[in-house]
Amino acid sequence: RVHRQADAYNEKQLHDLFGVLGIKTSAGDAFSFPFAFNLMFQTKIGPSGQEVGYLRPETAQSIFMNFPRLLNYNNDRMPFAAAQVGLAFRNEIAPRNGLLRVREFTMAEIEHFVDPEDKKHPRFAEVAGNVLTLFPQENQL
């Protein structure tokens, strides 16, 4: 019997099931052994930059998952950029008070894609000498 959700299996069970069902990659190869990983991207947040926060996987992953479609929309030409804005919802639980509330975050992401073999751009000369001034972390709150 096959469960509806992949997380109903441990890594070995999932690997064995792929073999029994003959599930292979699009190239016809066997998949590597499954392993657990966090889909959320860790980052530093807060005024001190010392707090750990996580970017929502829906934003962080979808541009990369849709890369073939985005490239197609750009007539199979690089470089190109993709941007998206979305809402994320996280539950907060305060164990002492039994409080459960949903926090809402608006997140945005822009990804620029370039061909690693051909990084030239017709307008690169316009910005080649520009220096980007950044506000150093030690000067921030």
Side-chain angles (χ1 to χ4, degrees):
R1 179 177 175 176
V2 177
H3 295 286
R4 286 189 221 181
Q5 293 180 307
D7 64 357
Y9 299 96
N10 65 35
E11 288 92 346
K12 182 176 181 345
Q13 291 170 326
L14 192 58
H15 180 72
D16 293 344
L17 186 62
F18 276 26
V20 168
L21 298 175
I23 298 172
K24 298 190 179 296
T25 68
S26 58
D29 301 322
F31 280 99
S32 62
F33 197 84
F35 59 92
F37 64 96
N38 190 349
L39 289 173
M40 297 179 73
F41 292 108
Q42 183 175 330
T43 188
K44 301 289 184 182
I45 62 172
S48 68
Q50 301 303 312
E51 301 295 322
V52 175
Y54 293 90
L55 298 178
R56 73 183 188 124
E58 297 88 351
T59 296
Q61 297 285 355
S62 62
I63 286 180
F64 300 104
M65 295 300 293
N66 288 319
F67 175 79
R69 182 175 294 155
L70 295 169
L71 182 62
N72 181 265
Y73 287 157
N74 201 50
N75 296 319
D76 293 326
R77 292 179 301 153
M78 287 202 279
F80 71 90
Q84 65 182 1
V85 177
L87 294 177
F89 300 92
R90 295 291 178 257
N91 295 327
E92 270 191 0
I93 302 168
R96 285 181 245 174
N97 300 343
L99 174 68
L100 174 64
R101 65 180 178 179
V102 177
R103 301 216 32 203
E104 178 181 323
F105 303 90
T106 300
M107 297 188 179
E109 177 184 13
I110 300 173
E111 294 292 339
H112 292 267
F113 296 96
V114 296
D115 183 340
E117 304 299 321
D118 179 16
K119 295 183 181 181
K120 66 181 179 274
H121 188 278
R123 298 181 61 188
F124 180 71
E126 296 175 29
V127 296
N130 290 359
V131 175
L132 182 62
T133 304
L134 300 175
F135 193 53
Q137 182 176 352
E138 59 273 4
N139 293 345
Q140 297 177 24
L141 294 176

